[in-house]
Amino acid sequence: MKTNPGRFFEDYRVGEVIAHAVPRTVSGGERALYHALYPARHALHSSDAFARACGLKAAPMDDLVAFHTVFGKTVPDISLNAVANLGYAEGRWIRPVWAGDTLRSDSQVIGVKENSNGKSGVVWVRTRGLNQRGEVVLEYVRWVMVRKRDAATPAPEAVVPGLQPAVAAPDLVLPDGLDFTHYDFGLAGEPHRWGDYAPGEKIDHVDGVTVEEAEHMLATRLWQNTAKVHFDATMREDGRRLIYGGHVISLARALSFNGLANAQMLVALNAGAHANPCFAGDTVRAWSEVLDKAETAAPGVGAIRLRLVAVKHGAAPFALRDADGKYLPEVLLDLDYWALMPL
């Protein structure tokens, strides 16, 4: 048999390291397509001149371009037969990715646990993205629900990894040379700086984007994500293609520009959950909550910890969970991350 049916839950072993196939060289084409697919317009990723004024050699690729590219490499080995991608933790952007860099990824299986129905299980992996020099540019943990090939197969011993609730501020890695002392707020699009935000503050990002089937399919192919539930309508009983969770992340991040235009770079992914499925026709809106702030060693640069929530149209403002602590059905994404912002 020469074709690859993908791995099923019983094929994973804790401690196994999987080197993922097909390195990818990224270019200005990925940047242009990313900005065409999402209303992304943070200045540091849009303008070489703006980035050079902030101490960088050029505009790096959008942080989520790096994430989606690294993530996409893992799909044939980790989530080809996934029911759903469930969450993220302990993510850090270590180095900027520049046009011309070649990215590859590997993953270590760090946990497995069969579900009570015996038909699927959860697999935890720690993934690294590396450039052409073998330098780590990105790392994160994710967990995914994967179908079993045979429900009669005995369950492996459950191993659930202990994960940190958040990346500590001292462990954030800042790009070499980053300097916001001469930051141009006019060109960036908003006057609000690090000192203008306070923990507990919530921001309604106002705008919305209706998800189109064609755009979702293009985006998922762009990142070479081959998960069957995103393409094959027969994989779900309702006959609907599940929107790739990363598509929702990028939509929400782009929408957050309105109110957080100066949260320029993502440096850590503390936690994340795809709370409910998203389908074509849903209109995605977003709101943020300021969770924490920290100073950094880089001149003029502060770190801000944010909760980014994506919801379907019609959700109540700033509503997240019901009285039992469960996500409301309108909530699509709950993402906790650190970003860099001028002081």
Side-chain angles (χ1 to χ4, degrees), residues 44 51-57 96 98 174-181 265 297-299 301:
L44 199 72
R52 291 186 186 113
C54 295
L56 303 181
K57 66 179 184 180
W98 312 98
L174 276 64
D176 290 340
L178 187 67
D179 183 342
F180 283 164
T181 54
M265 301 188 78
V301 180

Side-chain angles (χ1 to χ4, degrees), residues 34-308:
Y34 187 86
H35 288 193
L37 287 164
Y38 310 107
R41 50 199 175 110
H42 285 86
L44 199 72
H45 298 298
S46 299
S47 166
D48 286 341
F50 189 95
R52 291 186 186 113
C54 295
L56 303 181
K57 66 179 184 180
M61 303 298 290
D62 288 73
D63 306 304
L64 290 172
V65 169
F67 177 81
H68 295 324
T69 303
V70 169
F71 184 103
K73 303 293 96 189
T74 73
V75 169
D77 298 311
I78 305 300
S79 49
L80 192 66
N81 293 305
V83 178
N85 190 47
L86 299 177
Y88 311 94
E90 297 185 0
R92 293 192 305 163
W93 281 263
I94 308 297
R95 289 177 176 82
V97 173
W98 312 98
D101 279 352
T102 297
L103 301 181
R104 58 184 174 88
S105 59
D106 60 37
S107 298
Q108 182 176 25
V109 181
I110 61 172
V112 293
K113 186 177 185 297
E114 186 175 86
N115 290 329
S116 58
N117 62 13
K119 297 179 180 179
S120 62
V122 178
V123 178
W124 286 261
V125 296
R126 187 180 301 276
T127 294
R128 303 184 307 164
L130 303 100
N131 63 20
Q132 65 273 20
R133 293 178 293 278
E135 300 166 334
V136 177
V137 300
L138 172 68
E139 61 184 12
Y140 61 90
V141 171
R142 73 160 168 144
W143 48 104
V144 58
M145 188 186 303
V146 183
R147 294 178 177 85
K148 290 185 71 175
R149 179 186 291 105
D150 181 358
T153 303
E157 180 182 355
V159 177
V160 178
L163 300 172
Q164 296 298 317
V167 177
D171 294 330
L172 302 177
V173 180
L174 276 64
D176 290 340
L178 187 67
D179 183 342
F180 283 164
T181 54
H182 301 294
Y183 187 92
D184 191 322
F185 288 89
L187 292 179
E190 286 182 352
H192 317 302
R193 59 180 71 219
W194 184 84
D196 296 327
Y197 295 87
E201 179 181 359
K202 294 181 179 179
I203 304 161
D204 181 356
H205 298 301
V206 180
D207 306 306
V209 173
T210 301
V211 177
E212 302 287 349
E213 194 81 82
E215 290 179 353
H216 148 67
M217 298 292 284
L218 176 62
T220 311
R221 291 192 185 101
L222 175 63
W223 315 124
Q224 298 178 323
N225 182 332
T226 56
K228 296 175 184 178
V229 290
H230 303 320
F231 296 100
D232 186 345
T234 68
M235 294 301 295
R236 290 176 53 92
E237 292 182 0
D238 61 9
R240 306 172 80 185
R241 287 179 286 204
L242 186 68
I243 301 300
Y244 165 46
H247 192 66
V248 178
I249 292 174
S250 281
L251 282 175
R253 161 68 173 162
L255 290 170
S256 75
F257 180 92
N258 192 346
L260 285 167
N262 295 312
Q264 288 288 355
M265 301 188 78
L266 307 183
V267 284
L269 178 56
N270 298 308
H274 296 289
N276 288 288
C278 181
F279 299 102
D282 288 342
T283 296
V284 177
R285 300 186 185 278
W287 57 269
S288 293
E289 178 183 3
V290 181
L291 300 177
D292 199 2
K293 296 166 61 179
E295 296 183 358
T296 79
V301 180
I304 184 167
R305 183 179 169 191
L306 298 160
R307 160 176 269 161
L308 175 62

Side-chain angles (χ1 to χ4, degrees), residues 11-25:
D11 297 327
Y12 295 94
R13 298 292 180 270
V14 173
E16 177 185 13
V17 176
I18 304 168
H20 305 295
V22 192
R24 171 95 175 246
T25 301

